[in-house]
Every structure is written in structure tokens, then in C-alpha cells.
């Protein structure tokens, strides 16, 4: 029987209570060279729902797994129909105060880089430059046969042409840009192949049940080794792809600080967990550190390859 990936986590022991005291985070940022690890909770204020928070999409939606996508043409049709519709909304999301604060911290030398579990490109749109997209980016598409990368915008235009009149009403949207549609609504959707070799196209993101490329993991490990502290923003740390870096930092004696309203799988390893909304917390941090968080010029994140 195929094992399903870990999608949820329930505490099995008493966890340290959250706090509203931002003092330890202010002190950590004051040392500079802080590495940020961000999750879906950072983008909720941009209108992109998270997986596990209050109202999170896992309450109504099971994400596509790599095994299902590669093993079933029917599953691929369902995915691309839902993703094509969701991309229209997903692509309109803009950075929020939290993204802009992280970019401002980096501009002032307080943050050395960002490892993000998000696939939305909002860190870069807000002006952050040293960003590792741990789970890839929805702005790119990869061919599973020849490995060719292409802009998502290009595929979206091809799908629009091939599926003229496809205008279903979705029940909701998910953090991976996947709109909630019924099987009846996706019936007849036309999936397109790679223009180079005719192979199967997949968004250049790490699906549930798929491994993060080892070179990317090793790059992140080196960033953690060099950091003065690890600041986790908006991640429940349920999946090992992010939790491993918290464990690495804790084992090396590097302070781990978490800003997340709900308990996380890494709380036992953290020096503190601040239970505040991220926009509020990061704006307050900026004020206390004398860092200006402006809107600035947003970058187009929707079509790069």
C-alpha cells in the first residue's frame, strides 16, 4: 500500500507557551546575519491561504502528490485544470507588510538570506534578493522527459487557447495555487505537452511525496551553518523539509526564534515562539529597529524561467 506523505502534525507532549514579547527577536536581529525560514503563514495576508492554520486548506483539500501526478493522466488533468484556474488569482497576489519587512531587514544587513517553503515568489517581489526557494516556484514549468524549463506565463497562454470557455467557479484556492473544483468541472480540460519533446509538463515545485533536490538542501545547510540565528516565520514545521534546518541550528547551538500564531513542531527546539500575526509582528520589529518598511517597486514574479 502506498504511504501518504505527512500532511498534519498533532503535539504529543506539552509545548512551551507562546509569548507576545518580541524582545528576543529584536536582540537576535541586532546581531545581524540572521537567516529567515518562511512558510505559508507569511503569505496569508496577501490573500493566499495556508495549509494548517485556522481555515487552512488541509481542512477541505488533499494536495496533489508526486506519485499521483506522475502515475495518472486523469490526476494530471485534474491538477492542471485546477491550477490553471487558480493561477489567475494566485498571480495577482502582492507582497504584504511581512514580506516588505524581511526585504528591509536584508537591505539593512540584519538578515543574511531567506529560505522559503513558499512557491509564490512574494519575497522576491518585495525586494528580497538572496532567496532560496526550497520547494521551487510556480512561475516555472519543467518537462519531466527532457528537463526543459519554461515560464508559467507561456503555458498559461497555451492553456487559455486550448481551453477556450473554461470558466468554472471555484470553491476556494490553496497555497499551491490549486483551485477547488469538482471532477465534473475539470472533465474535458485539455492538458498540453512539452513543446520541445512532447513530454509531461509539471510545475517546477516539489510536490508532497517528492524530495527536495539534494544540492538545494546542502546549500541551505551551509546557510544555516553561517547564520547567527534562525528566524522561522509562518511555518508549522510539520514537514521535514523545513524542520531539518531547525534541528540543525539547535544542534549547533544557533538560536532558533519562531513567529507563528499556532504551536509548531519545532517549539521544543526554539528559544522563543512569538504568537502574533506576522504582519503585526514584523512591522513592530521594524519600528523597534528603526527600519523603514516602504512599498517600493514590486517585481514581476509571474513568468520567469
Amino acid at each position: 500500500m502506498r504511504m501518504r506523505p505527512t500532511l498534519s502534525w498533532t503535539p504529543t507532549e506539552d509545548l512551551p507557551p507562546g509569548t507576545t514579547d518580541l524582545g528576543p527577536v529584536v536582540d537576535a536581529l541586532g546581531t545581524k546575519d540572521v537567516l529567515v525560514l518562511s512558510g505559508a503563514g507569511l503569505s496569508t495576508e496577501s490573500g493566499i491561504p495556508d495549509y494548517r492554520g485556522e481555515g487552512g486548506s488541509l481542512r477541505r483539500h488533499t494536495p496533489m502528490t508526486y506519485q499521483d501526478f506522475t502515475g495518472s493522466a486523469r490526476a494530471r488533468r485534474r491538477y492542471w485544470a485546477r491550477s490553471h484556474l487558480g493561477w489567475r488569482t494566485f498571480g495577482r497576489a502582492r507582497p504584504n507588510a511581512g514580506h516588505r519587512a524581511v526585504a528591509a531587514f536584508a537591505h539593512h544587513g540584519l538578515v543574511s538570506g531567506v529560505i522559503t517553503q513558499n512557491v509564490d515568489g512574494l519575497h522576491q517581489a518585495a525586494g528580497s534578493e538572496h532567496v532560496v526557494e526550497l520547494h521551487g516556484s510556480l512561475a516555472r514549468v519543467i518537462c519531466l522527459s527532457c528537463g526543459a524549463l519554461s515560464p508559467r506565463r507561456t503555458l498559461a497562454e497555451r492553456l487559455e487557447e486550448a481551453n477556450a470557455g473554461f470558466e468554472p467557479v471555484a470553491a476556494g484556492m490553496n497555497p499551491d495555487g490549486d483551485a477547488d473544483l469538482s471532477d465534473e468541472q475539470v472533465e474535458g480540460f485539455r492538458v498540453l505537452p512539452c513543446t520541445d519533446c512532447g513530454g509531461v509538463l509539471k510545475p517546477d515545485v516539489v510536490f508532497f511525496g517528492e524530495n527536495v533536490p539534494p544540492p538545494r538542501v546542502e546549500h541551505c545547510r551551509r546557510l544555516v551553518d553561517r547564520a547567527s540565528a534562525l528566524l522561522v516565520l509562518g511555518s508549522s514545521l510539520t514537514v521535514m523539509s523545513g524542520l531539518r534546518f531547525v534541528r540543525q541550528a539547535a544542534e549547533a547551538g544557533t538560536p532558533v526564534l519562531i513567529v507563528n500564531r499556532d504551536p509548531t513542531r519545532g517549539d521544543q527546539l526554539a528559544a522563543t515562539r512569538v504568537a502574533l500575526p506576522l504582519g503585526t509582528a514584523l512591522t513592530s520589529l521594524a519600528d523597534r529597529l528603526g527600519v523603514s518598511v516602504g512599498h517600493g517597486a514590486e517585481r514581476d514574479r509571474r513568468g520567469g524561467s
Side-chain angles (χ1 to χ4, degrees):
M1 182 174 64
R2 180 184 295 170
M3 296 294 292
R4 305 295 290 182
T6 299
L7 300 179
S8 61
W9 163 78
T10 302
T12 58
E13 55 189 331
D14 291 335
L15 295 175
T19 179
T20 58
D21 179 14
L22 287 166
V25 186
V26 172
D27 293 342
L29 287 168
T31 67
K32 301 187 176 183
D33 293 325
V34 173
L35 179 66
V36 167
L37 171 63
S38 69
L42 187 60
S43 293
T44 56
E45 293 175 37
S46 293
I48 299 176
D50 64 8
Y51 281 113
R52 301 173 181 87
E54 184 178 351
S57 68
L58 284 183
R59 299 173 186 267
R60 66 178 192 278
H61 163 76
T62 300
M64 178 66 66
T65 67
Y66 181 78
Q67 293 77 13
D68 288 341
F69 184 89
T70 56
S72 168
R74 184 179 181 86
R76 289 194 292 274
R77 180 176 64 186
R78 183 173 70 252
Y79 174 82
W80 277 119
R82 293 160 60 120
S83 183
H84 178 58
L85 182 64
W87 178 248
R88 299 172 185 172
T89 300
F90 191 92
R92 290 194 294 267
R94 293 293 177 260
N96 61 52
H99 298 108
R100 294 193 296 271
V102 171
F105 295 155
H107 179 73
H108 286 78
L110 309 181
V111 164
S112 59
V114 178
I115 300 171
T116 184
Q117 296 173 286
N118 300 337
V119 296
D120 53 36
L122 291 175
H123 276 297
Q124 296 93 320
S128 289
E129 296 182 349
H130 302 292
V131 180
V132 179
E133 295 175 311
L134 190 63
H135 295 156
S137 171
L138 277 178
R140 299 184 299 268
V141 177
I142 188 169
C143 175
L144 295 181
S145 296
C146 70
L149 287 170
S150 57
R152 175 64 178 266
R153 179 186 287 121
T154 301
L155 178 61
E157 292 170 352
R158 293 177 61 207
L159 288 173
E160 288 282 356
E161 184 177 351
N163 295 279
F166 181 72
E167 296 286 346
V169 177
M173 193 180 75
N174 304 301
D176 52 7
D178 185 11
D180 284 331
L181 297 175
S182 67
D183 289 342
E184 291 75 16
Q185 287 176 301
V186 305
E187 198 69 35
F189 186 86
R190 185 181 172 197
V191 177
L192 299 179
C194 173
T195 55
D196 289 345
C197 74
V200 170
L201 293 176
K202 171 184 172 290
D204 190 24
V205 299
V206 177
F207 280 5
F208 284 92
E210 185 179 7
N211 293 324
V212 178
R216 194 178 302 166
V217 174
E218 289 308 309
H219 176 53
C220 291
R221 289 194 181 280
R222 290 193 293 271
L223 295 178
V224 175
D225 281 340
R226 296 198 293 265
S228 64
L230 181 63
L231 177 59
V232 181
L233 303 176
S235 176
S236 66
L237 300 171
T238 294
V239 295
M240 187 55 65
S241 62
L243 181 63
R244 67 179 126 201
F245 303 122
V246 170
R247 291 179 172 174
Q248 176 189 345
E251 289 171 2
T254 302
V256 175
L257 305 103
I258 300 174
V259 183
N260 199 66
R261 294 188 68 171
D262 299 318
T264 82
R265 200 175 172 189
D267 282 6
Q268 291 285 16
L269 302 173
T272 188
R273 176 175 64 85
V274 178
L276 288 173
L278 279 161
T280 300
L282 291 171
T283 301
S284 178
L285 283 170
D287 289 342
R288 293 176 63 170
L289 290 163
V291 172
S292 174
V293 180
H295 287 267
E298 293 182 7
R299 303 174 187 177
D300 186 357
R301 73 193 204 288
R302 294 172 292 173
S305 60

